[in-house]
Amino acid sequence: MESHINTFNFKGDPNVGLYCLSTNSYVIVGEDISDEKIKILESTLRVPVIHTKIYGTPFAGIFCTGNSKNLLVPDIIFDNEFKTLKKKLNGIAKVIKFKTNKTALGNNILCNDKSAIISEEYTDAEKKFIEKNLLVKSIKSNINEGSPGSYGVLNNKGGAFGQIISDDLIAKYEKFLKIDIGIGSVSSGSPIISSGVVCNDNGFIISPMSTGFESGRIDECLGLIKWYIKKWMIYRKI
């Protein structure tokens, strides 16, 4: 069985979450990578990899947010980039421009296929736009006055947040999201989980600077290790 965990870097930068957005239907990569690295992404996350810059930058993980159904991009995206995304995601997910001053959508909107935690700085009208176009329910919430997408990652099985989050906020998020949430770190102690993790329901990519304990903790928080143990037992017919 192929591993559901891999390490990765972009031209030596271990902050994989800045360059990548992953869902259960696709992965958006903002930086040119080798065929070998594309294979790593595809074998770990098990969805097609799509490459395009966003606003002329490689930071797809910062500027984009989405789930398996739809992808939101800021309206500052260049026309050729938008056309590329629409063409490559045709039949997979809908690509929608979002006009907002909070253009770092990946930092400000944390979502899975059912729910979203969004920055408190979004207006009520923007909140409705997000819900309508991602087909989710949402709540406004910051983490220690910071954007929710910076400190956590979600899939449909669980969530992982940095140590900066409070116990009360964990309880609030678990009640809203209806999934278990855990605390962890990446890159040998960083609480900015999203900078070092790219995940979906199939697996995750983690910063190569992360320790084995950090990787194992993320695995547990995202609800993947239990699922893969069960799958392994079925595979081995135990």
Side-chain angles (χ1 to χ4, degrees), residues 175-233:
K175 183 178 180 181
F176 172 70
L177 296 168
K178 294 181 173 56
I179 54 176
D180 291 333
I181 286 173
I183 302 301
S185 61
V186 295
S187 300
S188 300
S190 172
I192 307 177
I193 298 287
S194 66
S195 69
V197 175
V198 178
C199 68
N200 62 12
D201 287 355
N202 299 317
F204 67 96
I205 302 291
I206 191 168
S207 157
M209 291 177 61
S210 303
T211 66
F213 176 81
E214 287 176 325
S215 182
R217 183 64 183 140
I218 297 297
D219 200 5
E220 182 181 0
C221 292
L222 293 175
L224 291 167
I225 190 168
K226 293 179 181 178
W227 188 83
Y228 269 90
I229 287 174
K230 182 179 179 180
K231 187 175 181 181
W232 180 83
M233 291 176 70

Side-chain angles (χ1 to χ4, degrees), residues 51-58 73-74 76-87 95:
H51 169 254
T52 180
K53 292 187 180 298
I54 306 294
Y55 193 47
T57 79
V73 296
I76 58 173
I77 189 172
F78 294 155
D79 287 343
N80 64 311
E81 298 166 347
F82 185 63
K83 289 177 181 177
T84 294
L85 282 171
K86 288 188 69 175
K87 179 180 180 180
V95 186

Side-chain angles (χ1 to χ4, degrees), residues 110-179:
L110 180 60
C111 70
N112 59 19
D113 286 341
K114 296 180 180 179
S115 309
I117 303 167
I118 69 174
S119 170
E120 292 177 353
E121 295 183 30
Y122 281 123
T123 66
D124 289 343
E126 288 174 325
K127 181 178 184 290
K128 290 180 181 178
F129 181 93
I130 293 165
E131 291 177 334
K132 178 181 178 181
N133 288 284
L134 289 181
L135 304 175
V136 296
K137 58 181 181 179
S138 74
I139 56 169
K140 293 183 183 181
S141 177
N142 285 356
I143 300 173
N144 197 31
E145 299 183 1
S147 302
S150 297
Y151 293 108
V153 291
L154 297 175
N155 61 13
N156 295 319
K157 301 175 186 292
F161 286 82
Q163 311 96 315
I164 198 170
I165 192 172
S166 68
D167 291 342
D168 288 344
L169 208 49
I170 290 174
K172 177 181 178 180
Y173 288 174
E174 286 185 328
K175 183 178 180 181
F176 172 70
L177 296 168
K178 294 181 173 56
I179 54 176

